Amino acid sequence: MFNDLKGKRVLITGSSMGIGLAAAQAFAQCGAKVGLNGRRAPDNLADLLAGMHVHGGEAGFFAADLSRTEECEKLVSEFVARFGGVDVLINNAGGLVARKPLPEIDDAFFDAVMDLNVRSAVMMTKFALPHLKAAAQASGQTSSVIGVGSIAGHTGGGPGASLYGVGKAALHNIQKNWVDYHSQDGVRFNVVSPGTIDTAFHADKSAKVKAGIASGIPLGRLGSAQDCAAAFLFFASHACSGYITGQILDVNGGQFKP
Ligand code: NAP
C-alpha cells in the first residue's frame, strides 16, 4: 500500500532522533527522499544517512532552529534546492522546553514553548504550502501536511506541561482551518498524536516512573518511536489516505480515548 511513497520528497522537522528519525527511516525504506532536521547534526549522521540509502531511499540533513521564522524559510528553501519540491511535510519538532507550574511561567517561557511547538509548525506550513500545491498539481495526487500533536493536547498535559498541552491542542485545532481553506490546493492536513513514547523526551524519568506509567496503559508498555512510524506513512500516502483529511490519529496503546 505504501508503494506510492517511492520518490516522494518528505521533509520531517525535528528528525535527528526519536519519533522523527524513526519516521524518516521508515520513509527511506519506502524509497522516499527524506529531509532530516534538528538544530545540530547528530554525532552518527554519516551512518544514519548511509543506512537510509540502503533501501533506495535518499536523505539529507538540514540544520535549522525552527522556533525562528527565518530558519523555517531557510529550511524549506534548502530542502527544495536539494530535492526539487515538497510532497510531504511533517511538523514534528516540538518539546516541553522545561516543566514549569503556573506560578513560574513568565513571558520568556511562554514564548519559548509557543515558538517551538506552534510558530514552527505554522511557519513551516506557510513556507512549504506553495511547493505542496505545485507538487499536487504536477502529480495529480494530494500532498500531505502531518502535524505531531500529543495526548497532552487532549488532556491538558502533565506536571508543568500546561503550555506544551496548549501548543499541541493548537496543532490539533489549526488544521481544521487549513482543511477549510487549503484543500483546494490539493493538500491534506492530518495529525499523529502520540501517547507516552519512550524517547529522549522522557529522559528525566527513572525506570521506576516509566514502569508506573506503563502500568496505566491498556497495552501494558510505553510506545516506541517505531510504533508511530506507520501512522506517518499512512497519512503521507495518497493511495492509503487520499480521502482522509482533518483527522487526528492517536498512537497511545489505549492510554487516552478521545
Ligand atoms: P526527542 O527525542 O526529544 O527529539 C526531538 C527532536 O526535535 C530532535 O531531533 C531535536 O534535535 C529536534 N528539535 C528540538 N528543538 C528544535 C528546534 N528548535 N528546531 C528544530 N529541531 C528541534 O522528541 P520525540 O519524543 O521524538 O518527540 C517528537 C515530537 O513528538 C515532538 O513534537 C513531541 O512534542 C511529540 N510528542 C512526543 C511524545 C513522547 O512521549 N515522546 C508524546 C507526544 C508527542 P535538536 O536537539 O538537535 O534540535
Side-chain angles (χ1 to χ4, degrees):
M1 279 300 279
F2 296 138
N3 291 348
D4 66 330
L5 294 176
K6 188 167 179 57
K8 293 290 183 192
R9 300 154 299 185
V10 182
L11 176 52
I12 309 176
T13 70
S15 49
S16 58
M17 59 184 179
I19 292 169
L21 176 60
Q25 290 168 325
F27 278 104
Q29 290 216 347
C30 295
K33 297 173 179 172
V34 183
L36 295 173
N37 155 257
R39 286 165 296 180
R40 57 198 156 264
D43 293 341
N44 59 343
L45 179 62
D47 289 344
L48 285 178
L49 295 180
M52 293 171 71
H53 282 74
V54 165
H55 300 284
E58 186 184 343
F61 177 81
F62 305 85
D65 178 352
L66 303 180
S67 60
R68 298 170 56 192
T69 298
E70 66 273 19
E71 300 245 331
C72 295
E73 187 168 23
K74 181 175 72 101
L75 171 57
V76 172
S77 296
E78 290 180 355
F79 180 84
V80 169
R82 164 87 186 259
F83 292 118
V86 187
D87 297 291
V88 178
L89 169 66
I90 301 180
N91 287 315
N92 173 70
L96 292 167
V97 180
R99 290 190 182 271
K100 287 186 191 279
L102 181 55
E104 294 176 21
I105 292 174
D106 57 16
D107 286 345
F109 181 65
F110 185 98
D111 288 347
V113 177
M114 294 303 160
D115 287 351
L116 173 58
N117 290 286
V118 184
R119 186 189 303 277
S120 65
V122 172
M123 293 304 171
M124 283 300 300
T125 305
K126 167 183 156 171
F127 293 122
L129 189 62
H131 303 288
L132 292 157
K133 181 178 178 180
Q137 283 172 345
S139 69
Q141 298 183 339
T142 51
S143 299
S144 177
V145 174
I146 307 170
V148 178
S150 172
I151 190 171
H154 294 301
T155 64
S162 61
L163 292 181
Y164 173 75
V166 168
K168 292 302 188 181
L171 300 186
H172 291 184
N173 193 73
I174 198 168
Q175 65 173 7
K176 297 176 187 174
N177 177 282
W178 293 345
V179 166
D180 282 350
Y181 297 104
H182 296 289
S183 291
Q184 71 270 24
D185 295 336
V187 184
R188 295 179 295 107
F189 302 89
N190 293 286
V191 160
V192 173
S193 186
T196 306
I197 308 299
D198 198 3
T199 68
F201 187 99
H202 297 288
D204 61 335
K205 295 184 177 67
S206 67
K208 190 176 171 193
V209 169
K210 289 183 184 179
I213 295 170
S215 70
I217 297 174
L219 285 181
R221 63 176 175 86
L222 270 54
S224 68
Q226 288 73 23
D227 284 324
C228 301
F232 294 106
L233 300 181
F234 174 75
F235 279 141
S237 163
H238 177 86
C240 291
S241 61
Y243 196 56
I244 299 176
T245 191
Q247 304 303 309
I248 298 172
L249 179 50
D250 292 279
V251 182
N252 62 28
Q255 191 176 10
F256 175 78
K257 298 162 278 298

